Amino acid sequence: MSDAPYVRVERHGEHVAELVLDRPQAMNAVSTELARQLRDATTALAADPTVRAVVVSSSAERAFCVGADLKERNGFSDADLVAQRLVTRAAYRGVLDLPVPAVAAVHGFALGGGFEIALSCDLVVADATAVVGLPEVSVGVIPGGGGTQLLTRRVGWSRAADLVFTARRLTAEEGLALGVLDRVVEAGAARDTALGLAATIAAHSPVGLRQAKRAMRLGLDVDLATGLEVEDAAWRATAFSPDRAEGVRAFAERRTPQWPG
């Protein structure tokens, strides 16, 4: 097991956390150890009440993340693969289950598990160098970090089927047009744009942000009537919180809210 810091957390002000994938020599290929560190980092961020928004970025020059570390897997037995699966699945779910808004800052290659990490975020900001895709069927597996589910929910069955079954890659402009990316910016600007977006988000009510995300996630795949009940529960959790009282008071007094959280 490596002691190398493949994932690190940087803070920007009081309420924005940046989760940096930091295995540049391997273009952030998801090894067992990187997955373990990603799992642990997201667990810690989820438990931190001061965090209101998270940016997931990369220190690698040419890639956000190229997906599974196939060099490591080449020597795996079936038992090794089963054992790794428990770790990698927890890592991807750790990003997906962050209770606060998460923004991916993508440049270069975001393929396979790397693209799944981005899709696990709520918003994906990419620069003009981005190349994204789910090529797993071309190496004898399927997207296993949420890709078959998250991509389908983003773009619909037929568009997702086209990408998954053909294993083809998309440029940044193609990804934006298809809806797999949310914003495309000039080369080199994805991280700063994502951090700016996160700062804007983090200025709002922490209770409101968490409850809005909860309502949207829980209501996504239920019927409308059930979804409205989910929304009502989240509204009540927010409306009777100190944040709501402070928000109304600050609006009336024409000042910036000081959220109790």
Side-chain angles (χ1 to χ4, degrees), residues 56-215:
V56 183
S57 69
S58 161
S59 70
E61 182 178 350
R62 296 179 52 219
F64 175 73
C65 173
V66 294
D69 187 339
L70 297 183
K71 291 182 179 179
E72 179 187 52
R73 285 192 182 179
N74 189 45
F76 274 11
S77 66
D78 288 351
D80 292 332
L81 190 59
V82 169
Q84 188 200 48
R85 174 65 173 166
L86 297 174
V87 181
T88 56
R89 191 177 185 197
Y92 296 122
R93 281 301 300 263
V95 178
L96 182 64
D97 291 343
L98 285 168
V100 298
V103 184
V106 174
H107 69 273
F109 297 108
L111 301 173
F115 190 29
E116 290 174 307
I117 291 172
L119 291 172
S120 295
C121 296
D122 303 295
L123 296 168
V124 183
V125 175
D127 79 4
T129 70
V131 177
V132 303
L134 297 175
E136 283 88 346
V137 297
S138 70
V139 293
V141 290
I142 71 166
T148 64
Q149 305 304 304
L150 296 172
L151 185 61
T152 304
R153 283 163 170 75
R154 261 188 173 260
V155 302
W157 171 270
S158 60
R159 290 185 177 91
D162 181 3
L163 295 177
V164 172
F165 298 162
T166 65
R168 70 186 179 94
R169 301 177 180 186
L170 299 174
T171 66
E173 290 302 325
E174 290 171 332
L176 181 65
L178 198 62
V180 301
L181 305 175
D182 300 304
R183 301 189 185 188
V184 171
V185 296
E186 64 184 15
R191 177 176 175 267
D192 286 346
T193 301
L195 287 170
L197 183 56
T200 298
I201 291 168
H204 301 310
S205 160
V207 176
L209 291 170
R210 288 171 180 254
Q211 289 299 325
K213 180 168 179 174
R214 176 178 172 81

